[in-house]
Amino acid sequence: MKQRISGAEALMRSLENEGVDVLFGYPGGAIMPTYDALYDHRDTLNHILVRHEQGAVHAAQGYARVSGRVGVAIVTSGPGAMNTVTGIADAMVDSTPMVVVCGQVGASVMGTDAFQEVDVIGVTQPITKWAYQIRRAEDVAWAVSRAFYIAKSGRPGPVVLDFAKNAQTGMVDYEPAKFDFIRSYRPVPVPEDEVIRQAADMINQSEHPLVLVGQGVELGNAREELRQFIEKGDMPAGCTLLGLSALPSEHPLNMGMLGMHGNLAPNVMTQQCDLLIAVGMRFDDRVTGKVETYARQAKVIHFDIDPSEINKNITVDLAVVGDCKQTLARVLPLMKECKHKAWLEGFLPYRDKEQKCVIDSAIHPTEGPLLMGEVVNAVSEATGHKAVLVTDVGQNQMFACRYFKYSEPRSIITSGGCGTMGFGLPAAIGATFGAPERTVCMFCGDGGLQMTIQELGTIMEQHAPVKIILMNNNYLGNVRQWQYMFFNKRYSFTPMLNPDYEKIASAYGIPSRTVVDRKDLDGAIKEMLETPGAYLLQCAVKEEENVLPMTPLGASIDDMLLEIK
């Protein structure tokens, strides 16, 4: 039976109808009717009050990435909506399902430069899967259902609903809506049997195959299908930054991380394989290096759900366009049981070389200041490699992703395509709500932490159990490394004068500790993990440490530097 309610109330019921139970937001004038309606839904919709709208969208991202559900953020118009743009763009390039509801001025004053009016649709349309302005209360249920369907179907991504104030206060005979089809929108293409057969034939004929594992495996819940796929074909695999937890770190066929700061073996062997099999990844420039020299000797099969990614950066020989959970399962029965012993052994010299030249000294130094790699490794070991890794952006991100180990799915939350500094802290807050049963470890640098440090207030209010590991080197480390290598060591505005982070943590009621000496590290990590709730562990790391290996920008992917002179 239909019931006459306000548009704002219709939004609440529509969110509940989509299974939403957590949302992140910040109130304001143009969204106030919605927040008034939310007051009566506090038992079913857990609203997390952030301290800045950017924090709301990053928290929604962290929630979505760890849970596999759609993240939700609610903000006001004008500056509130504009503060979400960075997170929306980040979610778009990293394929994160999210719905952002922005307040907007009433329809009668739109276009008059009314107070806090901004063309939200015009701004966000290029960085969303769909952006829609709700001008009538009658359209709320339809728009919300459509938004969630678009956000989570096919290749996931963000959707923006621009909610006019008159649509919030207007009355409607509410009836729930449910979308599972939109004409002309084909979220999951289904490849023909002949394409599947061709893929199997190419794999069966290959003597030196290499599988590139992307986040699409996690998004498609295809972790088990991937494992069976590589094991039956006895095929080595390398993982992209966002795909690192799609394959357990200790799996014998996992050769490590691809890309600019990835592992030596998978990057070098990319240039020696005869078949490159990309699964749920987009051939980002950080993975390919110089495209003109990238895997020129190999045939390429690209498994992806998004047709627009095919031949975008790398020309492929065969495209298998569809949900990789389905397509891998269809190829698997047609594959032969293979053994590539000699090919797999070819990775070993490069793995040994990196271990001796880079890894041993990075995670087990015997003298000098603390190093980022050893901090990351020690935390990962102490958590049994079962924690959720959240990172900010910069050197802390690269060290964390390289030296953390993954045994569980959906265990890495990092800003990949946009590289958004400030992402880490609010994303970690969101992750604690998306996976409350798991330990969430957030690694950051002193630069990125200060970009969203106000979200310590959200941690304080919500008792969000984020374990913050601050690797403080008093620099904007990644930029400093590039200045060291390519700008004649001219450190232009990268040294940082930092505040007393322990005092700041204390002000928010968050216990903390600073480690300077290596002998104190393990004890401090134990204290952090055993302390209920949030904790800030500050590690005074080497100031001018460099991330290695590294492929210089514009170089071939196998031209990796193992040392910087």
Side-chain angles (χ1 to χ4, degrees), residues 418-438:
C418 272
T420 303
M421 288 182 68
F423 172 90
L425 189 61
I429 293 170
T432 65
F433 286 95
E437 74 287 355
R438 300 186 65 184

Side-chain angles (χ1 to χ4, degrees), residues 20-207:
V20 174
D21 54 11
V22 177
L23 43 88
F24 306 88
Y26 202 94
I31 198 67
M32 206 172 294
T34 290
Y35 269 84
D36 185 63
L38 180 58
Y39 191 84
D40 295 325
H41 291 260
R42 289 171 294 167
D43 292 339
T44 54
L45 294 172
N46 183 17
H47 178 272
I48 310 304
L49 177 66
V50 297
R51 297 308 188 257
H52 188 281
E53 291 89 355
Q54 183 179 351
V57 286
H58 290 329
Q61 288 178 272
Y63 173 90
R65 294 267 286 274
V66 78
S67 70
R69 303 173 68 185
V70 178
V72 180
I74 298 184
V75 301
T76 195
S77 65
M82 291 303 96
N83 283 339
T84 68
V85 170
T86 298
I88 292 169
D90 195 291
M92 186 65 176
V93 73
D94 283 353
S95 304
T96 304
M98 182 169 67
V99 172
V100 180
V101 180
C102 304
Q104 184 56 279
V105 301
S108 63
V109 295
M110 286 181 187
T112 68
D113 291 332
F115 179 66
Q116 292 192 330
E117 179 190 5
V118 170
D119 182 2
V120 171
I121 301 301
V123 170
T124 62
Q125 210 159 31
I127 54 171
T128 55
K129 285 188 74 177
W130 187 51
Y132 181 77
Q133 188 173 76
I134 305 175
R135 293 192 175 202
R136 307 183 312 155
E138 293 92 329
D139 296 333
V140 172
W142 171 88
V144 171
S145 180
R146 186 181 174 101
F148 274 78
Y149 174 63
I150 292 172
K152 65 187 177 183
S153 60
R155 180 180 182 175
V159 170
V160 166
L161 295 176
D162 194 33
F163 201 7
K165 199 167 186 178
N166 64 286
Q168 299 174 52
T169 57
M171 303 300 288
V172 60
D173 292 327
Y174 175 74
E175 188 172 10
K178 196 66 178 177
F179 266 87
D180 58 11
F181 173 78
I182 298 174
R183 190 175 63 182
S184 78
Y185 174 55
R186 190 184 177 204
V188 184
V190 179
E192 296 180 356
D193 290 341
E194 176 60 20
V195 172
I196 299 297
R197 187 191 63 76
Q198 289 179 36
D201 287 346
M202 291 172 68
I203 293 167
N204 291 335
Q205 293 166 16
S206 171
E207 295 182 358

